[in-house]
Amino acid sequence: MISLRLLDVAIDRFGRHGFEGASTRDIARASGTAMSSITYHFGGKEGLYLAAAEHIGKAISERQAAPLAAARAAAEGPRRAAVEALLAVIDGFAQMMLADESAPWARFIMREQQAPTQAFERLWSGAMRPIAETCVRLVARARPDLDEREARATALLLFGQAMILRAGRASACRLLGLEALDAEAATLLRARIRANALCILSETPR
Amino acid sequence: MISLRLLDVAIDRFGRHGFEGASTRDIARASGTAMSSITYHFGGKEGLYLAAAEHIGKAISERQAAPLAAARAAAEGPRRAAVEALLAVIDGFAQMMLADESAPWARFIMREQQAPTQAFERLWSGAMRPIAETCVRLVARARPDLDEREARATALLLFGQAMILRAGRASACRLLGLEALDAEAATLLRARIRANALCILSETPR
DNA sequence: GTCTATACTACGATAGAC
DNA sequence: GTCTATCGTAGTATAGAC
C-alpha cells in the first residue's frame, strides 16, 4: 500500500517542518513514489495533511483502548477503583509520550495545538475527547470536594506531567543529564508521575 | 531599530511556520523593510533564527528574574520557605504560559524541543537551565526523602502542569469548554497548579 | 544602512503517456 | 495507479545603486 507509506512519511515531514515547510516532492521521494501519487490518493497537499491527522487519531485510539475501557467501567465504582483506573490511563499516556513511536505524532499534534486547523478537530473528537472526558469523570469521583470546573482543570494538569516528556523532551534530557530518555529514566519518571498523581487524587477535603 | 522589529516578526513567523516554512521575504515585508536587510543585520536566514532564539532567552530571563532571585535565597532556608519559593517560581512560569505574550516564544521553543538545533543550546544555557537547577535544589530541600534523580524528575514534572497550558492550549480550551483561556480560567488553573504542587511538595516520607 | 534588480533553485499542481 | 514533463509561483542569496 503506497498510500500508507505516504501517510507515515507525511506525518514525519509535516511534524518536523510544518505544513508549509514540508514538501510534497520530498514526501513522495521518501515514500518511493512520484509526487503526483499524492494528488491521486489524497487530492493534494492539504488532503494528505488531513489524512495524516486522521491516521494519528486512529493510532492513539487503538493504543489507549484497553485502559480507557477499564476506566469507563470504574467511573461508577468505588473511589479507590476510580483512582487506580485513572492512574492506569495516565500511565498509558506517559508510556506513549516516552515511546519513540509517538515522536512523529507528537510533533504533528504539538503544531496543531499552537495553531489549530481543521486537522485538530479530527484529532480531538476522534481520539482526545473520549479519553479526556472519561478522565474528568474519574477525577470527579476521586475528588468529590472539587466542582466541575476544578475537576476539568485537574484532569488537564495531570496530563501535563506526562506531556512534558514529549513537549519538553530536550529540556527533560538536559535536566536529567541524559542523551535520551532510556528505559531506566522511563521507569523513574513513570513512578514519579504515579506518585504525584496519587498524591493529588488522594487529597481529602479539610 | 529595524533589527528589533525584524526579530519580533521573525520569532512569530519561525514559531508559526518553522525554519523552512517561514519566508525571509515575508518577514522583511511585515517588518517594513527589504529582504536584504536580513542579510545585512544577521548574515542570512540562519543568523536571524539564532538571534531570535537569543532574543527569546533574554525576554524569559528578565521576566523570571524576581522569583528566581527569591528562590535562590530560599534554597538554604527552612523547608517551608523553600516550598513557598518554589510555588512562586512555578506560578511565575504558569503566568508566562498563560500570557498572550508568550505564545510566539512558546511556538518557537516547542519546535526546538522536538528537534533541537544550535538555537536550543542558547535557550537552555541562557534562560532555562538557571531556572531549572534552582528548582531542583528547592525540590530537594522540600522533599528530603527523594534522591537526586527523583528530585530532578519531580522538578520537571511540576513544570509539566504549567507547560500544558501552552503546549496543549487547544486541548485545554476544549476540555474547559472555552474559546480562549480568559482571566477567570487563568485564576482557576493557577490555583489548581498551586494546590497540586503544594500537595506533592508537602508529601512526607512514610 | 537600506533599497532595487536579478540569478538560481525549489515549490505545488496538472496534463498526458503508459 | 503510477510515471514524466512542464507551468507558474515563491524561495534565498547577492550585486550594486544611493
Side-chain angles (χ1 to χ4, degrees):
Chain A
M1 269 317 244
I2 189 63
S3 60
L4 277 180
R5 174 102 185 102
L6 276 170
L7 278 178
D8 278 338
V9 176
I11 289 167
D12 181 78
R13 298 303 197 269
F14 283 134
R16 228 174 261 280
H17 310 296
F19 181 78
E20 297 90 349
S23 124
T24 53
R25 273 178 151 82
D26 175 57
I27 292 170
R29 195 182 327 118
S31 305
T33 185
M35 201 193 51
S36 47
S37 299
I38 292 173
T39 314
Y40 178 77
H41 284 288
F42 303 101
K45 192 182 192 183
E46 197 165 323
L48 177 61
Y49 188 78
L50 290 173
E54 206 112 26
H55 194 63
I56 293 172
K58 285 208 180 100
I60 294 177
S61 294
E62 274 173 28
R63 275 154 193 80
Q64 300 300 320
L68 195 60
R72 287 211 174 96
E76 310 303 327
R79 181 182 168 186
R80 180 84 206 164
V83 170
E84 276 306 325
L86 183 45
L87 290 177
V89 174
I90 292 170
D91 188 54
F93 184 69
Q95 285 189 61
M96 205 167 69
M97 296 292 99
L98 284 162
D100 290 341
E101 180 190 44
S102 75
W105 310 344
R107 280 189 287 262
F108 190 105
I109 295 176
M110 212 78 60
R111 278 172 200 273
E112 282 292 325
Q113 293 270 12
Q114 315 290 309
T117 70
Q118 203 185 331
F120 187 77
E121 184 53 46
R122 305 198 184 189
L123 282 165
W124 175 256
S125 29
M128 301 164 106
R129 187 171 55 196
I131 298 171
E133 291 295 340
T134 303
C135 287
V136 168
R137 280 192 293 158
L138 288 169
V139 169
R141 185 88 189 82
R143 290 288 303 271
D145 59 308
L146 299 180
D147 66 25
E148 167 79 11
R149 288 167 64 245
E150 287 172 329
R152 289 187 168 270
T154 302
L156 176 74
L157 297 173
L158 283 171
F159 276 95
Q161 288 195 91
M163 182 180 264
I164 200 172
L165 301 180
R166 258 298 156 218
R169 174 63 67 110
S171 299
C173 289
R174 303 223 174 194
L175 190 53
L176 296 174
L178 299 170
E179 276 297 311
L181 299 187
D182 54 19
E184 194 189 344
T187 306
L188 168 74
L189 287 162
R190 284 171 60 199
R192 293 322 313 165
I193 289 173
R194 184 189 159 88
N196 292 345
L198 183 58
C199 164
I200 290 165
L201 293 170
S202 307
E203 178 105 307
T204 43
R206 296 153 202 282
Chain B
M1 273 313 247
I2 189 63
S3 59
L4 278 179
R5 175 103 186 99
L6 276 170
L7 279 177
D8 278 339
V9 176
I11 290 167
D12 180 78
R13 298 302 197 271
F14 283 134
R16 228 174 261 281
H17 310 295
F19 181 78
E20 298 88 349
S23 123
T24 52
R25 267 176 156 77
D26 174 56
I27 292 170
R29 196 182 327 118
S31 306
T33 185
M35 202 198 55
S36 46
S37 300
I38 292 173
T39 314
Y40 178 78
H41 284 288
F42 304 101
K45 192 183 191 181
E46 196 164 324
L48 177 60
Y49 188 78
L50 290 173
E54 206 114 24
H55 194 65
I56 292 172
K58 286 206 179 104
I60 294 177
S61 295
E62 275 172 28
R63 276 156 193 77
Q64 300 299 320
L68 195 60
R72 287 210 174 95
E76 309 304 328
R79 182 183 168 187
R80 181 84 208 164
V83 170
E84 276 304 324
L86 184 46
L87 291 177
V89 173
I90 291 170
D91 188 54
F93 185 69
Q95 286 189 58
M96 205 168 69
M97 296 292 100
L98 284 162
D100 289 342
E101 182 190 41
S102 75
W105 310 343
R107 278 188 288 260
F108 190 104
I109 295 175
M110 212 78 60
R111 278 170 200 271
E112 282 292 323
Q113 294 269 11
Q114 313 294 307
T117 70
Q118 204 184 330
F120 187 77
E121 185 52 46
R122 305 199 185 190
L123 282 165
W124 174 255
S125 28
M128 300 165 107
R129 186 171 53 196
I131 298 171
E133 291 296 340
T134 303
C135 288
V136 167
R137 280 192 294 156
L138 289 169
V139 169
R141 185 88 190 83
R143 290 286 304 268
D145 59 308
L146 300 180
D147 67 26
E148 167 79 12
R149 289 167 65 245
E150 287 172 329
R152 289 187 169 270
T154 302
L156 175 75
L157 298 174
L158 283 171
F159 275 96
Q161 288 195 90
M163 182 181 263
I164 200 173
L165 301 181
R166 259 296 155 221
R169 175 63 65 110
S171 298
C173 289
R174 303 224 174 193
L175 190 52
L176 297 175
L178 299 170
E179 276 298 311
L181 298 186
D182 54 19
E184 194 189 344
T187 305
L188 168 74
L189 287 162
R190 284 171 60 200
R192 294 321 314 162
I193 289 173
R194 184 189 160 86
N196 292 346
L198 183 58
C199 164
I200 291 165
L201 293 170
S202 306
E203 178 106 307
T204 44
R206 296 151 204 282

